[in-house]
């Protein structure tokens, strides 16, 4: 799941960057080689023969290399905040959503409680802002963009509601604002394919774990 | 730029390698700051106020605004006070530094923690994992991104030295406390030499606690953990605490559940 979600990051970035920055053609390449074998991670960006791994590292690299329409703010404190929220998304939100996905029976509710703690924190940070970055899309938004895809998947496959407008008005609005940002929707992985893939995965998980 | 102490305040813990990272960076930059030692078993209201999400040290307060998470703090310091840079200039070099900082915290640290938190066969497997990680670093020092360098940052200590270094001393402590061989000088000669060199730097020497203190601390926690594992009636709280201590990511593992990444 992580690999795909990271791909989402990069896809979103890829599209946004093409929209916002004039980037000479670069290839989003997933390569086998020392990075892949040693670190077993994707995505890997290759630029001028140099490879950079890890999506957040790639994001910063791109921002420093192609300087028009920066996605990180100029102010060091705002940059620290953007990095913080990206990290929070990866370290806290992602595992908690995954836990929902792999849970069964009453454990689902437990997992949802955990996940919603994180959602509350994000809601608090947004506090009516259009994007985590403010008026326009930024680093934190792109880093957290996977939430949009994952929540749709979870809600559909597990038949539950994770981000409802009443509890999370700002987050709900953000999901829409993010998706509607020029180019972003095009970068989303094909919905049907994702649904099928993860539905199958979910079924397999349920089957192997039995009554847990 | 001289800053008055009231401008910069660091909440930390004496045995926290994450705290040491920030202290070292501030020292390298010649920045004065007020230090507040946190009792991680009884966190101060200030700490909880400034880091409500993670509730951990270190927290750097600058002009009353908190910055948390050590690698984020390091970059903040570097971007705010630009003399004596700790990040490379070239974007690709910066990406490499960032990647390996992630590696230190996502891979090497937890692996070391797993060694500390286990025994017997489980520990042997955990030691192997640490060796796998050190092999990767050794390879980068030998023929990869850091070939021929004295420090990861080049001639001077950089962000990766700070991140890896403040934490790797625990590997040496673990070697002694548990009679394992993590930083084997034969298997990892370059890493071993780098660590020695790093620890001998004046600023580093002034920050990292004396080895005896670290040994005593680690021994105490290790004994507690082992005794908890032996008793069948261990409470969930103490077991959880011990487990948290042991596996709470990164080289900072022994310091207790209150330390940040």
């Amino acid at each position: 799941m992580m690999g795909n979600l990271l791909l989402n990051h990069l896809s979103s970035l890829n599209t946004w960057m093409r929209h916002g920055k004039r980037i000479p053609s670069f290839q989003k390449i997933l390569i086998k080689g020392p990075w892949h074998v040693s670190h077993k991670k994707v995505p890997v960006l290759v630029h001028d023969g140099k490879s950079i791994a890890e999506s957040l590292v790639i994001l910063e690299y791109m921002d420093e290399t192609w300087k028009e329409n920066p996605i990180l703010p100029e102010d060091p404190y705002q940059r620290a905040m953007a990095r913080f929220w990206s990290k929070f998304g990866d370290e806290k939100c992602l595992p908690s959503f995954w836990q929902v996905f792999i849970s069964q029976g009453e454990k689902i509710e437990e997992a949802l409680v955990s996940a919603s703690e994180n959602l509350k924190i994000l809601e608090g940070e947004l506090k009516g802002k259009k994007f985590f970055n403010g008026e326009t899309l930024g680093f934190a938004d792109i880093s957290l963009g996977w939430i949009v895809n994952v929540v749709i998947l979870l809600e559909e496959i597990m038949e539950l509601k994770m981000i409802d407008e009443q509890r999370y008005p700002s987050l709900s609005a953000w999901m829409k604002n993010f998706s509607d940002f020029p180019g972003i929707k095009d970068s989303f992985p094909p919905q049907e394919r994702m649904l099928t893939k993860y539905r199958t995965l979910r079924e397999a998980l349920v089957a192997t774990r039995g009554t847990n | 730029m001289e800053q008055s102490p009231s401008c910069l305040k660091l909440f930390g813990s004496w045995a926290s390698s994450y705290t040491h990272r920030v202290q070292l960076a501030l020292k390298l930059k010649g920045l004065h700051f007020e230090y507040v030692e946190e009792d991680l078993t009884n966190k101060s209201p200030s700490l909880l106020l400034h880091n409500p999400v993670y509730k951990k040290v270190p927290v750097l307060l600058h002009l009353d605004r908190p910055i948390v998470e050590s690698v984020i703090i390091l970059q903040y310091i570097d971007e705010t006070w630009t003399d004596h840079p700790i990040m490379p200039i070239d974007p690709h070099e910066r990406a490499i530094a960032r990647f390996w900082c992630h590696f230190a915290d996502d891979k090497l640290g937890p692996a070391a923690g797993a060694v500390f938190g286990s025994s017997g066969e489980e520990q042997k497997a955990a030691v192997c994992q640490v060796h796998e990680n050190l092999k990767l670093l050794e390879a980068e020092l030998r023929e990869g991104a850091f070939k021929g360098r004295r420090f990861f940052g080049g001639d001077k200590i950089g962000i990766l030295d700070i991140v890896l270094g403040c934490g790797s001393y625990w590997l040496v402590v673990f070697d002694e406390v548990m009679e394992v061989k993590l930083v084997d000088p034969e298997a990892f000669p370059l890493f071993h030499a780098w660590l020695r060199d790093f620890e001998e730097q004046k600023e580093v020497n002034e920050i990292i606690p004396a080895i005896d203190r670290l040994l005593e601390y680690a021994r105490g926690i290790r004994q507690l953990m082992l005794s908890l594992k032996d008793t069948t009636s261990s409470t969930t709280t103490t077991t959880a605490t011990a487990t948290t201590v042991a596996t709470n990511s990164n080289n900072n593992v022994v310091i207790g559940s209150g330390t940040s990444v």
Side-chain angles (χ1 to χ4, degrees), chain B residues 110-179:
Chain B
V115 172
F116 188 74
S118 60
S119 42
E121 286 306 311
E122 210 187 307
Q123 191 180 64
K124 280 200 190 128
V127 170
C128 278
Q129 191 53 51
V130 172
H131 287 166
E132 287 306 311
N133 292 325
L134 289 179
K135 255 187 228 159
L136 292 172
L137 280 167
E138 185 74 15
E140 293 297 324
L141 283 164
R142 190 174 54 241
E143 61 216 356
F146 311 114
K147 183 177 175 181
R149 294 191 194 180
R150 181 183 176 194
F151 297 112
F152 290 98
D155 294 327
K156 291 204 186 128
I157 287 175
I159 193 171
L160 185 54
D161 299 277
I162 297 172
V163 168
L164 270 172
C166 292
S168 289
Y169 52 75
W170 283 117
L171 299 177
V172 174
V173 171
F174 292 176
D175 279 354
E176 175 111 11
V177 168
M178 292 175 295
E179 290 166 22

Side-chain angles (χ1 to χ4, degrees), chain A residues 35 38-39 50-54 57 60-61 64-65 76-77 79-81 83-84 87-88 91-92, chain B residues 53-54 65-69 72 75-76 79-80 91-92 94-95 98-100 102-103 106-107 136 261:
Chain A
W35 294 91
S38 313
H39 312 297
K50 293 175 271 195
S51 62
I52 301 111
E54 295 226 350
V57 175
E60 297 231 24
Y61 173 81
E64 289 168 358
T65 306
Y77 183 74
R79 291 162 79 88
M81 290 301 102
R83 289 174 178 136
F84 175 82
K87 196 163 194 239
F88 177 74
E91 287 189 351
K92 292 284 179 195
Chain B
V53 174
Y54 289 106
R65 294 190 303 188
I67 303 106
V68 306
E69 299 290 293
I72 293 177
Q75 292 181 92
Y76 174 80
E79 289 166 4
T80 307
H92 186 240
R94 292 160 73 85
R98 287 186 177 115
F99 177 88
W100 288 103
H102 286 200
F103 177 83
D106 294 345
K107 298 280 180 202
L136 292 172
V261 177

Side-chain angles (χ1 to χ4, degrees), chain A:
Chain A
M1 197 185 199
M2 194 62 178
N4 280 322
L5 292 166
L6 291 173
L7 271 176
N8 284 357
H9 287 187
L10 195 55
S11 294
S12 306
L13 170 65
N14 192 9
T15 310
W16 191 91
M17 301 287 269
R18 279 206 305 270
H19 174 81
K21 296 176 185 271
R22 257 176 290 129
I23 300 176
S25 61
F26 74 87
Q27 280 180 291
K28 180 183 68 187
I29 297 175
L30 310 176
I31 60 173
K32 289 206 184 287
W35 294 91
H36 180 86
V37 168
S38 313
H39 312 297
K40 299 184 174 58
K41 271 184 180 233
V42 292
V44 176
L45 173 71
V46 180
H47 174 231
D48 278 352
K50 293 175 271 195
S51 62
I52 301 111
E54 295 226 350
S55 64
L56 296 183
V57 175
I58 293 173
L59 280 185
E60 297 231 24
Y61 173 81
M62 297 185 81
D63 213 39
E64 289 168 358
T65 306
W66 294 283
K67 297 192 200 287
E68 321 94 316
N69 297 312
I71 57 169
L72 268 171
E74 282 237 25
D75 172 62
Y77 183 74
Q78 296 306 328
R79 291 162 79 88
M81 290 301 102
R83 289 174 178 136
F84 175 82
W85 290 110
S86 305
K87 196 163 194 239
F88 177 74
D90 278 3
E91 287 189 351
K92 292 284 179 195
C93 298
L94 183 57
S96 69
F97 292 10
W98 180 247
Q99 194 56 42
V100 173
F101 184 72
I102 62 174
S103 295
Q104 290 178 66
E106 49 196 44
K107 300 264 185 197
I108 297 179
E109 194 51 47
E110 266 177 51
L112 275 172
V113 167
S114 235
S116 67
E117 288 304 316
N118 294 324
L119 291 175
K120 259 185 243 164
I121 291 172
L122 287 178
E123 176 74 20
E125 171 57 22
L126 266 176
K127 290 190 276 265
K129 283 190 293 185
K130 196 172 173 196
F131 296 104
F132 287 94
N133 192 49
E135 273 306 298
T136 61
L137 201 84
F139 184 87
D141 303 279
I142 294 176
S143 307
L144 293 167
W146 60 266
I147 290 177
V148 176
N149 304 103
V150 167
V151 166
I152 292 173
L153 276 180
L154 277 176
E155 291 187 345
E156 179 82 25
I157 293 173
M158 318 248 324
E159 290 170 12
L160 45 79
K161 191 75 187 154
M162 271 186 80
I163 299 187
D164 64 85
E165 271 189 56
Q166 264 189 320
R167 279 177 86 192
Y168 308 105
S170 300
L171 254 184
S172 301
W174 173 78
M175 284 178 67
K176 187 163 189 319
N177 292 330
F178 182 82
S179 306
D180 288 346
F181 197 86
I184 289 290
K185 235 179 203 132
D186 298 335
S187 76
F188 284 176
Q191 178 108 322
E192 275 316 308
R193 211 170 78 190
M194 289 284 273
L195 273 172
T196 309
K197 173 174 175 159
Y198 284 100
R199 220 186 279 277
T200 312
L201 181 59
R202 167 88 189 153
E203 279 159 21
L205 279 167
V206 170
T208 52
R209 282 172 175 226
T211 48
N212 197 1

Side-chain angles (χ1 to χ4, degrees), chain B residues 187-235:
Chain B
F188 316 111
L190 295 170
F191 184 84
H192 185 260
W194 161 78
L195 187 55
R196 273 273 143 89
D197 201 354
F198 174 80
E199 286 168 353
E200 278 164 15
Q201 299 306 299
K202 177 169 162 289
E203 295 89 353
V204 175
N205 217 347
E206 286 167 4
I207 285 178
I208 295 177
I211 189 92
D212 294 337
R213 243 183 126 193
L214 295 175
L215 281 167
E216 188 191 338
Y217 191 86
R219 281 196 180 108
I221 300 207
R222 175 81 181 160
Q223 261 172 7
L224 172 67
M225 265 174 19
L226 290 176
S227 66
L228 286 171
K229 280 189 176 180
D230 285 341
T231 57
T232 50
S233 59
S234 50
T235 64

Side-chain angles (χ1 to χ4, degrees), chain B residues 70-82:
Chain B
S70 62
V71 176
I72 293 177
I73 297 173
L74 292 180
Q75 292 181 92
Y76 174 80
I77 291 171
D78 206 43
E79 289 166 4
T80 307
W81 295 278
T82 50

